[in-house]
Amino acid sequence: MNGLIGLLCLIWGFNWVFMKLANGVFPPVLFAGYRFALGALVLIAVCMVRRVPLPRMRDLKWYILCGILQTMYFNLAIQLSLEDLSAGLTSVLTYSMPLWLTLMAHFLLPGEQLRIRKLLGVVIGIIGLFVAMDAHWSGSTPALLLAVSSGLSWALANLLVKRKLGHCDMLQFTTWQMIVGAAGLLLYSVIFEHGESHWGVMPVVYVLFSGIVGSALAFVMWSYILSKVEASKASISLLLVPVIGVVSGVLFLNESLSMVTIAGIVFVLMGIWLVNGKSRRQETGVQAAAGQEQQTQVMK
């Protein structure tokens, strides 16, 4: 599972390069609409090939709500925040999601209580993320709140997946929530955006990668991971995404990488290790349980 999480972080981290480049050739929300519309079309085709059934009515309302929270509002808030905030600061505030989800999980998800080690890991990871982005606190207060709300919206959607949709086919869920989100993004763009799209070879590449790999494949992976792993552990691992985005910017966009940024990356990795690692008490408990099971097998 750790390998799958790592691959997802690589995909979403590298996708920041395409998102940044795409802003120069598309209206921002329209690009997000293109991205998720293509992702939804790919997933519909996969569902047809695999003969995935239509959602049950009792689940459909949750699919729609998650589509609004996780795809439509989440991406709207990011794109609108970018008009007044730097990309680094926006990504930091967006990836405050693990903090919100960990706090929600403590109160609302059985078996995901917030222990000292996990809390320390979350705090260190968030601090490292702020340092790694080397963000400047500029911009309007509404834009800051909007960016924070994107992380909160994503956390709420993830909580719903854990509480209400654990029994669902994750391919089915991802497809239908993406259809809802893409429709909302395109509708917003038609009503409020008036810029022009400049098509060419590279703009097509931006849409194809972000739509097929960064949306269809990545969100299926994330939904599967979230259904199998503790919400807090899965979400804190995503702090790697903006870190990989910074490294990708250095490699492909000629952005600078300072020692402060490197220090922040180290903090993020330390936070992820604290949250995902087991404490000595847990390891002792696991070893004791394994020993007791072996003893029981011998007695039989």
Side-chain angles (χ1 to χ4, degrees), residues 173-279:
F173 160 72
T174 306
T175 300
W176 284 89
Q177 71 87 22
M178 196 170 291
I179 291 171
V180 172
L185 289 166
L186 291 173
L187 180 62
Y188 178 94
S189 180
V190 168
I191 296 174
F192 296 106
E193 288 190 319
H194 305 289
E196 294 182 357
S197 299
H198 302 281
W199 289 99
V201 175
M202 290 311 299
V204 170
V205 172
Y206 304 155
V207 174
L208 289 177
F209 181 88
S210 294
I212 297 174
V213 181
S215 298
L217 175 62
F219 273 95
V220 169
M221 292 168 61
W222 171 242
S223 297
Y224 176 77
I225 291 168
L226 194 60
S227 68
K228 300 296 182 180
V229 181
E230 282 187 24
S232 55
K233 289 186 177 182
S235 62
I236 195 68
S237 299
L238 293 185
L239 291 180
L240 272 176
V241 173
V243 171
I244 293 172
V246 170
V247 175
S248 298
V250 172
L251 295 177
F252 298 99
L253 299 176
N254 297 319
E255 296 178 348
S256 61
L257 181 63
S258 65
M259 291 302 297
V260 174
T261 301
I262 295 174
I265 291 173
V266 171
F267 271 87
V268 169
L269 295 175
M270 187 184 303
I272 293 172
W273 175 76
L274 284 171
V275 171
N276 285 282
K278 292 181 179 180
S279 64

Side-chain angles (χ1 to χ4, degrees), residues 25-98:
V25 292
F26 296 106
V29 178
L30 180 59
F31 171 72
Y34 285 152
R35 168 189 172 184
F36 287 102
L38 176 59
L41 288 174
V42 171
L43 292 181
I44 290 171
V46 174
C47 286
M48 293 177 66
V49 170
R50 295 187 58 182
R51 297 183 180 180
V52 176
L54 295 175
R56 292 177 293 186
M57 290 303 298
R58 68 177 185 178
D59 296 326
L60 188 58
K61 61 182 178 182
W62 301 118
Y63 287 13
I64 293 172
L65 183 56
C66 286
I68 293 171
L69 292 172
Q70 180 172 273
T71 301
M72 179 186 170
Y73 182 80
F74 174 69
N75 285 278
L76 266 177
I78 290 175
Q79 298 294 347
L80 294 179
S81 298
L82 285 171
E83 294 183 0
D84 293 314
L85 305 177
S86 67
L89 179 55
T90 303
S91 64
V92 166
L93 297 176
T94 295
Y95 279 87
S96 64
M97 182 275 287

Side-chain angles (χ1 to χ4, degrees), residues 14 16 24 132 141 186-187 270 295:
F14 184 68
W16 278 94
T141 299
L186 291 173
L187 180 62
M270 187 184 303
Q295 186 177 3

Side-chain angles (χ1 to χ4, degrees), residues 111-126:
E112 296 207 23
Q113 282 69 36
L114 190 60
R115 296 181 175 86
I116 297 298
R117 180 188 176 105
K118 187 182 291 186
L119 177 60
L120 182 62
V122 170
V123 172
I124 289 177
I126 294 294

Side-chain angles (χ1 to χ4, degrees), residues 110-170:
E112 296 207 23
Q113 282 69 36
L114 190 60
R115 296 181 175 86
I116 297 298
R117 180 188 176 105
K118 187 182 291 186
L119 177 60
L120 182 62
V122 170
V123 172
I124 289 177
I126 294 294
I127 291 173
L129 194 56
F130 274 92
V131 174
M133 294 300 106
D134 198 16
H136 300 283
W137 286 91
S138 60
S140 65
T141 299
L144 292 171
L145 295 176
L146 192 63
V148 171
S149 73
S150 69
L152 184 58
S153 174
W154 192 11
L156 284 170
N158 291 332
L159 183 69
L160 286 175
V161 172
K162 295 291 288 186
R163 280 188 64 89
K164 301 293 184 180
L165 301 173
H167 64 282
C168 295
D169 184 304
M170 287 296 104

